[in-house]
């Protein structure tokens, strides 16, 4: 049994709700960041309090109090020694708390490469040697209870990977590989969002992480590898159209001649929680709406609109892609 | 007959085009819940729908002023029961239509219809 499907957009899941997702960690790595955030918050409230008291004394205190607040001793202790000690301690504490997030690959972890694209995400599940064993897009499946190493890259501009309930933000920088660990403690669907402005529809660049119990995860991945797709007559017509209308030039579907790389891999698009990189629920209607005129939905994205296709062709294409589980 | 005394004035009332809310009376349906359902299943990926800021798809017609429309999809009477069935499973009511069946249950589709009937052109 896979976890319930969230039909809210991944971006809404990542940013909205109560408690705010950033304060509602679902795993140890996000947990350490939430702890750090609380520590920083409490520290700054304390410091703010001290400053306000000093300010009040400076304005309304007796002559003696005013003299003490303005004296050299107060400036040295409150203005130099205290901040140096506190900030150093915080730095050491913060770095030790988050060191495990970006530690080098040990070799026995599950590895996934995620590449930022304008304005979607390429996902490749890797074996121990770093070779891709399965390619997908915009959605990541992980088992619960163990760390997963993400190798974050970019193929164009700087993006930032952020799934608030599972980890902090980390930039995806062209020509670099940044490591990040995530872990979910229980099954669930977790929304993410690109957190570094990357032009055009950046605000519509979401991501979905689905955490399964380990045995469900293994079963799902095995089913994906062995599944044969049976096509209805309508879907078979859609397969033909996929080649004829030029979709195959930009999209790959494993096991078919479609081998394009400019757009998301569609091998498993029928099983995705969302379409358009985490922004729409995935159903027959949104699939047709996206294929027919994705520019009305995500203005400026790199897929052309297909308003030349008659409705029955859109239906057939949607039927075909729906079957790609 | 006493019933005729009651019914006659009622008939007169019906004839003089009451505002949309009464013409499209939908007991137990909730327009606010309907709007939430519209946003959850993504009707707006094909329709511009007043009150839904994003997206404003272009594959289907705009639903602005829908309460005033005489026919649904140009062929079905614009009545609450018909509309509720249509938004859920259009192809079975209007074969050949390009409006697909949408993942709504019966209650949700009545709520959705109630929301569409708030879209008058007053
Ligand atoms: Cu971005």
């Amino acid at each position: 049994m896979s976890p319930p499907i969230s039909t809210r957009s991944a971006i809404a899941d990542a940013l909205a709700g109560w408690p705010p997702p950033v304060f509602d960690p679902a795993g140890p790595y996000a947990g350490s960041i939430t702890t750090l955030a609380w520590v920083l918050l409490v520290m700054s409230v304390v410091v703010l309090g001290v400053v306000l008291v000093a300010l009040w004394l400076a304005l309304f205190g007796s002559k003696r109090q005013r003299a003490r607040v303005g004296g050299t001793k107060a400036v040295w202790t409150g203005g130099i020694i205290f901040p140096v000690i506190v900030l150093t301690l915080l730095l050491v504490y913060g770095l030790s708390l988050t060191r495990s997030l970006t530690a080098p690959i040990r070799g026995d972890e599950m590895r996934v490469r995620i590449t930022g694209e304008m304005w979607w995400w390429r996902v490749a599940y890797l074996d121990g040697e770093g070779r891709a064993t399965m390619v997908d897009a915009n959605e990541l499946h992980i088992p619960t209870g163990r760390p997963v190493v993400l190798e974050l890259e970019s193929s164009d501009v700087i993006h930032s990977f952020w799934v608030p309930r599972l980890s902090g933000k980390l930039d995806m920088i062209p020509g670099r590989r940044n490591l990040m660990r995530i872990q979910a403690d229980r099954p669930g669907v977790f929304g993410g969002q690109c957190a570094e402005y990357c032009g055009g529809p950046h605000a519509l660049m979401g991501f979905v992480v689905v955490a399964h119990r380990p045995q469900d995860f293994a079963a799902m991945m095995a089913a994906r590898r062995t599944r044969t797709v049976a096509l209805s007559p309508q879907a078979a017509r859609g397969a033909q159209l996929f080649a004829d209308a030029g979709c195959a030039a930009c999209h790959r579907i494993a096991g078919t001649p479609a081998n394009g790389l400019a757009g998301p891999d569609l091998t498993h698009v029928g099983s995705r929680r969302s379409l358009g990189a985490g922004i729409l629920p995935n159903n027959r209607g949104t699939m047709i709406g996206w294929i027919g005129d994705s520019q009305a939905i995500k203005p400026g994205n790199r897929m052309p609109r297909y308003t030349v296709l008659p409705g029955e062709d859109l239906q057939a294409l949607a039927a075909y892609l729906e079957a790609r589980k | 007959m006493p019933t005729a005394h009651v019914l006659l004035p009622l008939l007169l009332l019906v004839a003089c085009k009451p505002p949309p809310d009464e013409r499209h009376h939908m007991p137990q349906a909730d327009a606010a819940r309907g709007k939430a359902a519209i946003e959850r299943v993504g009707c707006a990926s094909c329709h511009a729908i007043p009150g839904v800021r994003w997206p404003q798809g272009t594959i289907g017609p705009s639903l602005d002023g829908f309460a005033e429309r005489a026919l649904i999809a140009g062929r079905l009477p614009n009545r609450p029961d018909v509309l509720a069935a249509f938004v859920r499973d259009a192809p079975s009511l209007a074969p050949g239509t390009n409006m697909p069946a949408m993942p709504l249950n019966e209650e949700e589709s009545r709520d959705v219809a109630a929301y569409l009937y708030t879209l008058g052109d007053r």
Side-chain angles (χ1 to χ4, degrees), chain A residues 111-177:
Chain A
R111 290 167 64 178
V112 183
R113 180 172 60 232
I114 302 183
T115 312
E117 303 273 345
M118 289 158 94
W119 293 277
W120 55 279
W121 319 81
R122 210 182 279 282
V123 175
Y125 297 84
L126 307 178
D127 64 12
E129 270 77 59
R131 287 180 304 241
T133 57
M134 187 188 294
V135 179
D136 204 351
N138 296 335
E139 192 173 272
L140 169 67
H141 294 268
I142 59 171
T144 54
R146 61 183 261 209
V148 176
V149 179
L150 304 183
E151 312 187 14
L152 303 178
E153 300 179 355
S154 168
S155 65
D156 37 49
V157 299
I158 301 180
H159 303 273
S160 181
F161 185 86
W162 188 37
V163 181
R165 297 194 59 204
L166 298 182
S167 196
K169 299 171 184 166
L170 193 60
D171 279 4
M172 309 172 115
I173 299 168
R176 263 190 72 102
R177 189 181 71 165

Side-chain angles (χ1 to χ4, degrees), chain A residues 7-8 204 279-281 283-286 288-289 292-293 296-297 305 311-312 314-315, chain B residues 39-46 54-59 97-103:
Chain A
T7 39
R8 287 168 66 199
L204 296 176
I279 60 173
L280 294 174
N283 58 48
R284 173 67 63 97
T286 53
I288 294 174
D293 191 359
I297 296 167
R305 54 209 296 254
E312 61 203 340
L314 294 175
Q315 304 259 8
Chain B
E39 291 178 335
R40 200 176 60 245
V41 301
C43 307
S45 59
C46 289
W54 173 89
Q56 298 190 350
T58 59
I59 301 301
T97 182
N98 281 316
M99 156 101 183
M102 294 298 287

Side-chain angles (χ1 to χ4, degrees), chain A residues 53-58 64-75:
Chain A
V53 168
L55 184 67
W56 193 88
L57 287 178
R64 221 182 96 241
Q65 286 168 330
R66 295 221 299 272
R68 286 189 65 178
V69 171
T72 334
K73 206 171 134 208
V75 171

Side-chain angles (χ1 to χ4, degrees), chain A residues 11-34:
Chain A
I11 295 170
D13 278 340
L15 303 178
W18 197 260
V22 273
F23 285 116
D24 187 21
Y29 298 106
S32 61
I33 288 175
T34 306

Side-chain angles (χ1 to χ4, degrees), chain A residues 221-238:
Chain A
M221 292 309 243
R224 276 193 167 186
R225 290 210 171 77
T226 53
R227 189 176 283 128
T228 50
V229 182
L231 295 182
S232 67
Q234 189 190 34
R237 209 173 75 78

